Amino acid sequence: MSALLKQAAEHWHFVAPLLTPPKTETDYDTLVEALDELLDEIGDEENHPLSSLASQIGDRIAAYDAEHYPLPGMAGDGEIE
């Protein structure tokens, strides 16, 4: 196992809740709170080291929203009906 993968495995239980798609409303709420904290930390700094993490979390939140709270008039694939 590479050193990078070994480090990831050792710390996975700490970061998994941030990188795993939410399955429940509680998981979703955890991600929303984490994203809010990250955005407070990052501010307007586009090159902040945590910007990619914020983007990944935002993608998971958006996917959950699309599945559980679809906008009226939108098909399941995001196309307008």
Side-chain angles (χ1 to χ4, degrees):
M1 182 181 295
S2 72
L4 180 61
L5 188 55
K6 185 175 179 177
Q7 282 183 318
E10 290 171 0
H11 295 92
W12 182 246
H13 65 280
F14 295 112
V15 296
L18 300 175
L19 299 174
T20 303
K23 294 182 177 106
T24 67
E25 192 73 25
T26 300
D27 295 343
Y28 174 85
D29 291 342
T30 298
L31 286 182
V32 169
E33 289 176 22
L35 182 58
D36 286 345
E37 286 184 51
L38 272 174
L39 293 177
D40 286 343
E41 175 71 26
I42 293 168
D44 293 335
E45 192 178 333
E46 291 181 19
N47 293 322
H48 192 284
L50 295 174
S51 292
S52 63
L53 177 59
S55 178
Q56 293 291 319
I57 293 172
D59 290 346
R60 281 157 182 75
I61 291 169
Y64 187 92
D65 284 340
E67 182 178 342
H68 293 89
Y69 308 109
L71 295 174
M74 298 293 285
D77 59 3
E79 296 292 322
I80 297 175
E81 295 177 337

